[in-house]
Amino acid sequence: MKNTLGNPNLLKGRMAAYGITQTELARKLYRSSNYVSQRVSKHEAFTTQDMYTIGEILAIPKEELLDFFPKL
């Protein structure tokens, strides 16, 4: 059974595997580093559009997106 609540460690691990820092991810999303940091650390939620964009950047299949993003 898949975890529908999301796991931020999966996102951090995927970013590390692709050599993408939070600063670089922020740049690719046209967002501030603080914006990304707040969301990666689960203080705020990513927008749906950001989730899809991150999925494209990190080659996350659409059917697995919810596994990577925590539900707040």
Side-chain angles (χ1 to χ4, degrees), residues 12 15 19-29 31-41 46:
K12 290 176 185 178
M15 288 170 61
I20 300 212
T21 65
Q22 288 185 26
T23 301
E24 187 174 354
L25 184 61
R27 193 174 19 240
K28 290 177 181 283
L29 292 173
R31 302 282 193 173
S32 70
S33 293
N34 187 51
Y35 174 90
V36 171
S37 176
Q38 289 292 309
R39 281 142 184 88
V40 169
S41 60
F46 280 103

Side-chain angles (χ1 to χ4, degrees), residues 7-20 22 37 39-42 58 68:
N7 183 342
N9 293 325
L10 285 178
L11 180 59
K12 290 176 185 178
R14 188 67 158 238
M15 288 170 61
Y18 277 75
I20 300 212
Q22 288 185 26
S37 176
R39 281 142 184 88
V40 169
S41 60
K42 300 189 329 181
L58 299 176
F68 286 80

